Amino acid sequence: MESPFKPDILKGKVALLTGGGSGIGFEISVQFGKHGAAVAIMGRRRNVLDSAVSALRSLGIQAIGLEGDVRKQEDAARVVEATVKHFGRLDILVNGAAGNFLVSSEDLSPNGFRTVLDIDSVGTFTMCHEALKYLKKGGPGKGTSSGGIILNISATLHYTASWYQIHVSAAKAAVDSITRSLALEWGTDYDIRVNGIAPGPIVDTAGMSKLAPGEVVNKSREMRPLFKLGEKWDIAMAALYLASDAGKYVNGTTVIVDGGLWLSQPRHLPKEEVKALSRVVEKRSRAAPAGLPTSKL
Ligand code: COA
């Protein structure tokens, strides 16, 4: 699908994306590149990085792939340095690396819980920490007229509660909290905008195949307000909005891109029944008010 944004909205910017070699992260890399940015993608698997980089280059996008695990501070530091060494600066950091699997709380070991928090929450903070000096206004990244941008990919799981996702819910709650704290501190001190995106179920992603096998998707269909799954493109467009000047006054928020799914509840009465029923109930209560007279209340 064609982008509604002008092709130069990220012209001259350099973006580093963790988890940028596949899924939603890759689509954000493509769209950032198509809108003028040079992109560095970080991931654990060399082969995934290599094929992502050649796909990006075939689109005319300046791209490099850097191997590393966000759980290791030395990897985070090395990848940030390599990005700046290669492209000369760093303007946008996207924290997309995440770990996930379905498991009931009673079957999840504390180490399994910790592993996902290490990747999603600590990993996000570590990358932000290592990138700060380059994202700062007038910092060693030089040339940035304003501070940089951080985008944290989150989820909606923790807004209520989600079955078999205690670890990811806790991890993403921490990510949203990190987004707000850094938006406050680094927005004030360095003019860095920090925002998040909470995607709903997105077709053709590892998240969907791991967390929502086919039959679950079909069952939840009638509860979904926009009645369809999202596309990676939807998330990339939100990322473009937040990373470009279109979002210049947006700081510390997490944009939900899920078609309203997180608001879904089963419809307990058909609409026609409500129309009929509510009039009848009102008439009945006017004719014979239930309970105490108002003067006694
Ligand atoms: N159910 C229950 N526990 C699980 C599990 C599962 N499906 N998968 C892993 N764990 C537990 C392990 O048993 C281990 O705990 P233990 O030492 O107490 O046994 C702990 O989690 C770490 O597992 P390990 O396989 O050593 O971690 P890893 O670093 O190799 O992999 C994961 C990290 C588990 C998050 C892996 O799924 C991953 O790398 N995911 C990245 C990609 C991804 O999930 N993307 C999703 C996007 S939504």
Side-chain angles (χ1 to χ4, degrees):
M1 206 151 40
E2 211 175 299
S3 162
F5 295 101
K6 288 184 183 162
D8 63 349
I9 55 171
L10 296 182
K11 195 173 169 204
K13 305 282 183 191
V14 174
L16 167 60
L17 301 97
T18 71
S22 61
I24 289 172
F26 178 66
E27 181 65 19
I28 298 175
S29 305
V30 168
Q31 294 298 341
F32 277 13
K34 283 185 170 179
H35 290 78
V39 296
I41 57 177
M42 174 180 180
R44 287 180 301 169
R45 293 166 295 170
R46 187 74 255 168
N47 58 331
V48 173
L49 291 174
D50 287 346
S51 58
V53 166
S54 57
L56 289 165
R57 288 183 181 161
S58 73
L59 294 168
I61 295 165
Q62 287 184 68
I64 52 166
L66 300 162
E67 233 174 300
D69 187 332
V70 297
R71 287 173 286 189
K72 297 181 184 147
Q73 190 178 353
E74 61 277 17
D75 285 14
R78 175 179 46 76
V79 165
V80 167
E81 295 301 331
T83 302
V84 174
K85 192 166 178 219
H86 190 87
F87 290 122
R89 56 193 279 164
L90 176 62
D91 305 284
I92 304 166
L93 169 67
V94 180
N95 288 300
N100 209 343
F101 47 84
L102 282 181
V103 63
S104 73
S105 300
E106 66 192 77
D107 291 331
L108 176 64
S109 70
N111 192 44
F113 185 90
R114 186 182 301 113
T115 298
V116 170
L117 266 91
D118 268 350
I119 300 169
D120 294 23
S121 322
V122 185
T124 291
F125 178 72
T126 304
M127 292 302 301
C128 294
H129 183 270
E130 296 306 320
L132 174 63
K133 66 180 172 200
Y134 297 109
L135 295 173
K136 276 180 188 175
K137 194 177 190 170
K142 65 189 181 297
T144 39
S145 54
S146 62
I149 306 280
I150 296 174
L151 290 182
N152 296 327
I153 306 302
S154 186
T156 59
L157 304 168
H158 52 294
Y159 296 172
T160 52
S162 299
W163 285 99
Y164 314 131
Q165 295 274 275
I166 190 171
H167 47 335
V168 186
S169 298
K172 296 302 194 184
V175 167
D176 289 357
S177 184
I178 289 168
T179 296
R180 287 189 291 268
S181 297
L182 294 185
L184 172 68
E185 292 191 31
W186 294 357
T188 305
D189 290 347
Y190 305 119
D191 207 10
I192 293 172
R193 288 193 296 111
V194 187
N195 289 297
I197 300 175
I202 303 295
V203 285
D204 297 332
T205 57
M208 273 298 286
S209 44
K210 270 185 149 183
L211 310 178
E215 57 280 18
V216 178
V217 174
N218 292 333
K219 251 192 249 165
S220 65
R221 223 177 154 70
E222 66 183 45
M223 289 168 58
R224 199 170 302 124
L226 292 190
F227 214 69
K228 58 184 181 237
L229 297 171
E231 292 167 12
K232 288 176 268 194
W233 185 90
D234 295 308
I235 308 305
M237 291 302 115
L240 275 176
Y241 161 65
L242 292 170
S244 68
D245 284 346
K248 70 182 172 48
Y249 197 48
V250 184
N251 189 27
T253 198
T254 295
V255 176
I256 304 169
V257 187
D258 77 337
L261 177 64
W262 84 275
L263 299 167
S264 299
Q265 296 183 24
R267 195 193 291 257
H268 63 291
L269 275 180
K271 215 176 347 182
E272 289 311 312
E273 228 171 275
V274 172
K275 263 186 210 162
L277 200 71
S278 84
R279 296 283 178 202
V280 172
V281 171
E282 246 175 86
K283 268 186 208 145
R284 234 190 262 144
S285 63
R286 255 186 237 142
L292 290 170
T294 38
S295 58
K296 296 251 168 100
L297 290 174

